[in-house]
Amino acid sequence: MIKNTGSMNTEKLNHMAVKILNLKAFSLKTLNPRTLSFKTVITGASLAALLASSGCATSSLLDSNSHVSTTTTKSVLSEDQIVAFGRPAQALPKMPNATMVIVGEKNSYVLTQGGTEMVGLLTNLTPKNIHVDNDMSFYVPNNDGYFQGEMKLSYAKLKDEFKRSDYQFFLQNNGRECTSDSDQRINAQRFCFSIPVKGAIYPQVSNLSMIQSNYRALSKPYTVSFYTQSQQNQVSRRGANTAQKLVLLPFALAFDVVTFPFQLLE
């Protein structure tokens, strides 16, 4: 008599499945409770430590009355009244390109770049027609005695007063036609000049008193200012004093200056 092999195979498979289920159930029942408890304790302790450390950091920050922010801060380091514009009476050590000096009441500001262009404009154009078109505010990136910025001047007069040589000068010195509506109403023409400058900060010139007594004052009070700025993550605290002072070159010495025979007009 032949048995049904299909039916026998089905019974064997069912029997094996029951054994596997019983084995899994047994494994779960016999798992060491201490192991479960230990893992739970470790997880809880880690979480508690993380929360505690975070809480301490937050508490410390709040207790110190501080605020963390990323900002760009502009700080004015110094302001000075301009007395005259001139050039060094003698060559300056370590400054072979020094061609122009802004003479201030506090310090002297020697142009090492852009000075030649400034001298060319101020000595070749009619002084009464020269106008300063921007604040003389210079950037001091590292507050180490060196500054940079831009000088913007314009030159205007009646159209029938211009000569061919004037236009040739404007072409050679990057003059830009910038006649305004008010200029046109009086039949005038204006040319603008933008000169990038760099320089170094020196002590007050040696012959300042002589300049003030022998030369007519500028047509209006001109102010020159110097500033620095920073952008960074910083902690600012109430009452903190962030004021800085303008730093001069460590090797800078006072010197005499020869002034230009002109007075800037507004």
Side-chain angles (χ1 to χ4, degrees):
M1 181 176 177
I2 301 173
K3 292 185 179 181
N4 190 334
T5 56
S7 176
M8 291 179 62
N9 289 336
T10 300
E11 290 179 1
K12 288 182 179 181
L13 289 175
N14 290 338
H15 183 67
M16 290 176 64
V18 171
K19 284 187 176 181
I20 291 173
L21 289 175
N22 290 336
L23 181 61
K24 287 186 177 181
F26 175 79
S27 298
L28 289 174
K29 289 179 180 180
T30 57
L31 188 63
N32 192 340
R34 292 183 180 180
T35 303
L36 288 173
S37 176
F38 181 68
K39 290 182 178 180
T40 304
V41 170
I42 290 178
T43 304
S46 300
L47 181 60
L50 179 61
L51 293 175
S53 62
S54 175
C56 289
T58 304
S59 176
S60 175
L61 184 61
L62 294 175
D63 290 344
S64 64
N65 197 23
S66 302
H67 176 66
V68 179
S69 61
T70 301
T71 58
T72 299
T73 303
K74 179 178 178 179
S75 302
V76 176
L77 300 173
S78 176
E79 291 185 345
D80 201 354
Q81 292 296 314
I82 297 175
V83 176
F85 296 85
R87 68 180 72 192
Q90 64 279 336
L92 299 180
K94 302 183 180 181
M95 289 290 170
N97 298 322
T99 54
M100 180 176 170
V101 181
I102 300 174
V103 181
E105 292 180 350
K106 298 178 182 177
N107 299 306
S108 304
Y109 311 102
V110 179
L111 298 187
T112 57
Q113 177 182 318
T116 301
E117 292 82 355
M118 287 292 298
V119 171
L121 293 178
L122 299 177
T123 56
N124 287 280
L125 298 178
T126 306
K128 68 179 182 180
N129 299 115
I130 299 175
H131 303 258
V132 179
D133 292 340
N134 69 322
D135 294 333
M136 281 179 264
S137 181
F138 299 113
Y139 178 42
V140 187
N142 302 311
N143 198 8
D144 56 357
Y146 293 97
F147 64 87
Q148 57 188 258
E150 189 175 37
M151 290 288 293
K152 294 184 178 181
L153 305 177
S154 65
Y155 184 73
K157 59 183 181 180
L158 296 176
K159 286 185 178 180
D160 57 9
E161 295 180 352
F162 280 105
K163 300 177 182 179
R164 182 181 178 85
S165 58
D166 292 326
Y167 294 113
Q168 185 66 31
F169 179 84
F170 300 149
L171 287 174
Q172 294 173 348
N173 291 272
N174 299 317
R176 177 177 55 85
E177 207 275 339
C178 56
T179 304
S180 65
D181 292 339
S182 59
D183 293 329
Q184 291 179 347
R185 283 193 289 269
I186 60 173
N187 200 31
Q189 192 172 13
R190 184 179 301 273
F191 289 85
C192 292
F193 303 87
S194 181
I195 304 174
V197 298
K198 291 184 179 181
I201 304 163
Y202 274 70
Q204 184 186 87
V205 296
S206 304
N207 58 340
L208 179 63
S209 58
M210 186 272 289
I211 293 172
Q212 291 175 319
S213 61
N214 294 351
Y215 290 87
R216 181 169 60 90
L218 294 175
S219 59
K220 57 162 285 186
Y222 285 93
T223 301
V224 60
S225 63
F226 298 85
Y227 70 93
T228 189
Q229 61 185 20
S230 60
Q231 184 175 12
Q232 57 184 354
N233 292 330
Q234 57 184 3
V235 179
S236 58
R237 295 178 173 81
R238 275 190 290 183
N241 183 11
T242 59
Q244 300 183 56
K245 292 184 178 180
L246 186 66
V247 175
L248 280 65
L249 291 176
F251 59 83
L253 301 174
F255 59 92
D256 288 350
V257 69
V258 178
T259 61
F260 295 127
F262 74 93
Q263 304 295 323
L264 287 179
L265 300 179
E266 185 179 16

